[in-house]
Amino acid sequence: MSRIAAVAVSRLHRLCFPDDPWDPPAVTEVMSIPGFFGQIAREGKIWAGFALALDLGDECELLSLGVLPQWRRTGIGAALLRSTCLLACGRGADSITLEVAVDNTAALCLYERSGFTVAGRRANYYCRAGRAVDALVLRRRLVTAVPAT
Ligand SMILES: CC(C)(COP(=O)(O)OP(=O)(O)OC[C@H]1O[C@@H](n2cnc3c(N)ncnc32)[C@H](O)[C@@H]1OP(=O)(O)O)[C@@H](O)C(=O)NCCC(=O)NCCS
């Protein structure tokens, strides 16, 4: 993902997370963190989703994942997650972690189906319309395949 993509990611983020929009400078700042990697999903000429992640060494963290409402349930979220896990594997990470609100049914279903399990809980982590919501910390172990010789 090039830095020029910050504007596109910002737009996608705003449409996917209307309660927590990230403006282009905020996205640029995230993209400048050492170890950042990310992807944008394209459907034809339309940028339909994104995944932002951070390489922390032994572990990678999925910072944000979103798919435009009109493109949901078409497999884009799962594809972005799969390819983020593959990129994390390629970077030598043993696992990938993320935080998700306890009431985010769609994301929880996607992550559970993709092999993530609960590793912890952060109380009152999100604030939505003045209401505190807990976050679950999810982790998936990554298996690295090496060529058989
Ligand atoms: C969570 C999100 C990224 C899923 O993206 P998506 O492209 O719709 O997901 P997929 O089409 O790849 O779905 C894969 C599987 O996840 C599960 N899933 C996805 N959305 C679901 C929903 N609304 N309800 C129940 N299960 C759901 C299903 O098992 C689905 O497989 P199926 O369609 O064969 O039943 C999307 O809903 C989104 O952008 N939400 C707003 C932003 C957000 O909450 N991001 C996650 C923050 S942690």
Side-chain angles (χ1 to χ4, degrees), residues 15-17 50 62-69 71-80 98-101 104-111 113-114 126:
L15 294 169
C16 293
F17 298 93
F50 69 97
L62 182 65
L63 300 174
S64 194
L65 170 76
V67 175
L68 289 181
W71 287 98
R72 288 181 191 161
R73 296 309 286 267
T74 66
I76 293 173
L80 282 165
L98 59 89
E99 279 137 7
V100 57
N104 191 340
T105 309
L108 283 167
C109 289
L110 168 63
Y111 296 137
R113 204 181 96 153
S114 306
Y126 299 103

